[in-house]
Amino acid sequence: MKNHHTQSLVALLSISAAAVAQQTAWGQCGGQGWTGPTSCASGYTCTYSNAYYSQCLPGSGGGGSNPTTTTTTMVRTTTTASSSGPTGGSGGGKVRFAGVNIAGFDFGVKTDGSQDLTQVADESVDGVNQMQHFVNADGFNIFRLPAGWEFLVNSNLGGSLDSNNFGKYDKLVQGCLSLGAHCIVDVHNYARWNGGVIGQGGPTDDQFLSLWTQLATKYKSESKIIFGVMNEPHDLNINTWAATVQKAVTAIRKTGATSQMILLPGTDYTNAANFIENGSGAALSAVTNPDGSTTNLIFDVHKYLDSDNSGTHVECVTDNAAAFTNLAQWLRSNKRQAMLTETGGGNVASCGQYMCQQLDVINKNSDVYLGWTSWSAGGFQPSWNYALLETPTNGVDTYLVKQCFVPKWRN
């Protein structure tokens, strides 16, 4: 056991090392719960974004730090939030992340958690090319990479990641990382396997934890990996599901993946409009890291704009401003954050109108909304006339990407 003098010396050395270390360009340099570097590489300044996040951005007087401003501003914006208007918020006007889903390895997955592996589209090459376009042409910095559980283990429930199938998926992930983007590893199974709910009569929690232990072990050293516990759980007991999510978080952290964000999904397809009333917010609020903290445990929400929130219709008819404003107020009062990892619409004027309005609200509440990944690019072919297609054609973005997602991110 170390004596008090040794512990004090170790603490002092740790503090000194943190002070000397500098964050790289575009990296995080401050925010509530941040323990990393607070000064930036030459030519970059630590710039306040919201209460939870400051970033090294290009600016004069390189090597600047701003930890004090982050702390004091956090208190001020929290106070201001209580008097904001119906679509107002206490964010800095711009979210931290914007990007796209790259679908393909999830193809064939139904809402009952079954997957027809013959429908899988291998996006290990074209998906990377698409991401490169979105980074270079649009400045996007995050991609969600969905994959079916069955595909990853080649239908062997509780088994090892399949070397062939997972190898293809990992090429997509590595391609994403090579672009400097954040990459969401998303298990796209609706909290199910072939009709059975995880931990509720279907696959056991241990079988689910086996999957996540393997994935987290693979990516534990990648700081820009984000773990998406599960796509769109539905029709289940939310409290039992939250207990399963807790086990998954603990398993991920125990592999050594201690610093990455983990996305926590609720029930009802993790619908942002119902996240509070269906009990998802309350149940998932109890999920913690092994040390009891909730650092980097982010709520995962989805919301579409068509008539039934299914994302299967071309036209958009829903004004989601109230839904995202109400959820923002709840997140702020509970000192939590969320990420919108699925939203989208047809490439038509109605979606241009409603989606732009939705993104305005999210940007205004950027203290609690980290950003969005829209649905979807990837293996969808233009000839399919897919309603929510975002796959660029000959280097040209689709209407909705150009109309809303790019300008609401870059302007």
Side-chain angles (χ1 to χ4, degrees):
M1 180 180 292
K2 297 174 182 170
N3 59 35
H4 178 73
H5 173 74
T6 303
Q7 291 174 327
S8 299
L9 179 59
V10 170
L12 180 60
L13 290 173
S14 298
I15 293 171
S16 299
V20 171
Q22 287 189 322
Q23 182 58 281
T24 56
W26 306 101
Q28 183 175 357
C29 55
Q32 182 174 325
W34 175 249
T35 59
T38 56
S39 65
C40 302
S42 179
Y44 290 79
T45 300
C46 189
T47 304
Y48 174 84
S49 176
N50 58 58
Y52 298 88
Y53 188 73
S54 293
Q55 184 178 23
C56 290
L57 299 179
S60 59
S65 63
N66 194 16
T68 303
T69 302
T70 300
T71 302
T72 56
T73 305
M74 179 186 68
V75 175
R76 182 166 64 252
T77 55
T78 301
T79 303
T80 304
S82 61
S83 59
S84 63
T87 59
S90 61
K94 183 180 177 180
V95 294
R96 176 182 173 186
F97 297 114
V100 185
N101 281 262
I102 305 296
F105 292 116
D106 58 306
F107 283 7
V109 178
K110 300 177 182 178
T111 57
D112 68 354
S114 62
Q115 183 175 22
D116 179 355
L117 297 183
T118 66
Q119 296 185 33
V120 169
D122 182 353
E123 284 301 292
S124 59
V125 175
D126 190 51
V128 177
N129 292 334
Q130 291 180 36
M131 289 188 287
Q132 186 172 33
H133 162 84
F134 286 123
V135 169
N136 294 339
D138 303 323
F140 290 159
N141 63 354
I142 188 170
F143 298 97
R144 184 170 180 254
L145 311 176
W149 185 356
E150 289 88 341
F151 174 77
L152 293 174
V153 299
N154 198 20
S155 301
N156 182 18
L157 178 61
S160 300
L161 294 171
D162 182 77
S163 59
N164 180 58
N165 290 359
F166 179 70
K168 295 176 181 178
Y169 179 73
D170 184 52
K171 287 182 181 179
L172 182 67
V173 176
Q174 297 302 329
C176 177
L177 291 170
S178 73
L179 296 170
H182 279 72
C183 314
I184 302 173
V185 174
D186 164 52
V187 179
H188 211 80
N189 273 74
Y190 305 91
R192 285 162 166 75
W193 176 289
N194 288 332
V197 178
I198 301 169
Q200 301 183 38
T204 65
D205 285 345
D206 285 344
Q207 288 170 325
F208 186 51
L209 301 186
S210 171
L211 174 69
W212 269 115
T213 297
Q214 294 178 73
L215 289 171
T217 298
K218 171 68 178 180
Y219 299 118
K220 63 183 180 181
S221 62
E222 299 288 353
S223 62
K224 290 190 174 182
I225 287 290
I226 299 173
F227 299 112
V229 170
M230 178 56 62
N231 174 71
E232 296 190 348
H234 65 90
D235 298 291
L236 45 69
N237 183 301
I238 185 56
N239 292 313
T240 304
W241 170 244
T244 298
V245 173
Q246 175 64 77
K247 293 177 183 178
V249 168
T250 301
I252 291 170
R253 295 302 191 213
K254 284 186 174 180
T255 66
T258 57
S259 63
Q260 294 91 340
M261 284 185 279
I262 302 178
L263 303 181
L264 314 180
T267 190
D268 191 21
Y269 300 90
T270 202
N271 186 346
N274 300 332
F275 198 80
I276 304 168
E277 66 185 46
N278 66 26
S280 294
L284 293 173
S285 291
V287 176
T288 66
N289 293 307
D291 64 1
S293 73
T294 57
T295 303
N296 285 330
L297 300 184
I298 309 300
F299 296 134
D300 188 358
V301 297
H302 292 181
K303 191 75 180 75
Y304 288 96
L305 302 97
D306 53 358
S307 57
D308 59 359
N309 192 48
S310 65
T312 59
H313 303 90
V314 173
E315 295 291 339
C316 295
V317 299
T318 305
D319 183 348
N320 288 333
F324 280 103
T325 300
N326 292 339
L327 180 56
Q329 292 170 347
W330 182 89
L331 290 166
R332 195 170 293 118
S333 65
N334 287 276
K335 296 181 172 61
R336 299 302 295 266
Q337 291 178 300
M339 188 181 297
L340 176 62
T341 61
E342 274 194 37
T343 190
N347 291 295
V348 295
S350 64
C351 293
Q353 173 189 349
Y354 285 113
M355 181 61 74
C356 287
Q357 292 174 357
Q358 173 180 291
L359 298 183
D360 280 339
V361 175
I362 291 172
N363 275 328
K364 288 178 181 178
N365 292 280
S366 60
D367 59 321
V368 292
Y369 292 124
L370 293 179
W372 64 75
T373 54
S374 58
W375 188 273
S376 178
F380 300 101
Q381 302 302 313
S383 60
W384 294 359
N385 294 318
Y386 178 60
L388 277 60
L389 184 69
E390 294 186 3
T391 304
T393 303
N394 297 323
V396 178
D397 283 323
T398 59
Y399 165 82
L400 194 59
V401 172
K402 292 187 293 185
Q403 182 71 13
C404 293
F405 291 115
V406 172
K408 296 304 178 182
W409 166 242
R410 302 193 81 165
N411 296 343

